[in-house]
Amino acid sequence: MSEDTDRHAMKMAKKKAARDKIMATKTDKKGLIIIHTGKGKGKTSAAFGMIFRCIAHDMKCAVVQFIKGGMECGERNLIEGKFSDVCEFYTMGEGFTWETQDKSRDIEMAAAAWEKAKELIRDPANTMVLLDEINIALRYDYIDVNDVIEFLTTEKPEMTHVVLTGRNAKAELIEIADLVTEMELVKHPFRSGIKAQIGVEF
């Protein structure tokens, strides 16, 4: 037993030394462009996890929802009810495209959401700005991806984090991002006839 313990301790000491050496080279800080995409669940959930981390550290942040409209949203209820002094929250969409069935209205709302997003990102007081489901608006060309890329690469303050969520992130956007996570769908209850539930999806 003692031999196993000693071997484990030596192995961990080597790992720690290697890790410390790597970490010593990581000295830079910058505002990140972060993308959560893919068919799997968790894109918005993970993004709100970071927003709540900012709130917990009393760092100003903001959320713009591009698609979700009148749907109940636990995160919005909590932020507006308890943390509106730290986090601004704007629901600019009117629902998913198959619900509105009005392309011109969807384009108008997406454009308004993008204008609000730019205003919030330009404000250096905001540590993080979440653009929830913007990838959907970009996928349908409700917003020009080139405009988004130009803005993020030329006008985003150096230390501001911007998180973009939604399926089918454009390749050009992925190219300029610092952190990209693709949620892979392995299994989902919706396929078994189970609807979206409070506390899990919203």
Side-chain angles (χ1 to χ4, degrees), residues 75-89:
E75 298 94 340
R76 182 172 67 229
N77 293 346
L78 180 60
I79 289 170
E80 290 182 342
K82 304 280 187 181
F83 305 112
S84 60
D85 58 327
V86 182
C87 183
E88 295 183 62
F89 204 118

Side-chain angles (χ1 to χ4, degrees), residues 10-71:
M10 287 176 62
K11 184 178 178 182
M12 291 302 109
K14 283 182 181 178
K15 278 195 171 187
K16 183 180 186 320
R19 182 72 178 167
D20 289 347
K21 187 175 180 181
I22 291 169
M23 292 305 292
T25 67
K26 312 299 181 190
T27 57
D28 291 344
K29 289 175 73 174
K30 64 174 284 194
L32 303 175
I33 297 172
I34 301 168
I35 296 175
H36 293 171
T37 193
K39 294 182 179 179
K41 177 186 161 18
K43 297 176 286 293
T44 292
S45 302
F48 271 112
M50 289 189 288
I51 286 291
F52 283 117
R53 281 178 178 161
C54 288
I55 291 170
H57 290 291
D58 202 30
M59 298 160 72
K60 284 189 68 65
C61 51
V63 178
V64 179
Q65 290 189 311
F66 277 74
I67 301 295
K68 295 160 185 168
M71 288 175 58

Side-chain angles (χ1 to χ4, degrees), residues 87-101:
C87 183
E88 295 183 62
F89 204 118
Y90 298 91
T91 300
M92 308 290 288
E94 294 183 325
F96 290 100
T97 51
W98 57 85
E99 291 173 343
T100 61
Q101 299 178 21

Side-chain angles (χ1 to χ4, degrees), residues 136-185:
I136 304 298
L138 290 167
R139 178 188 180 189
Y140 289 110
D141 296 320
Y142 295 166
I143 309 167
D144 186 343
V145 69
N146 295 312
D147 289 346
V148 174
I149 290 168
E150 183 178 1
F151 178 83
L152 292 177
T153 55
T154 63
E155 291 196 51
K156 180 184 79 64
E158 184 181 358
M159 296 308 297
T160 303
H161 305 298
V162 178
V163 188
L164 307 95
T165 72
R167 294 183 178 204
N168 303 110
K170 297 259 188 178
E172 310 95 295
L173 200 56
I174 289 172
E175 183 66 28
I176 67 154
D178 299 289
L179 173 59
V180 180
T181 301
E182 184 171 3
M183 276 62 170
E184 182 181 350
L185 177 61

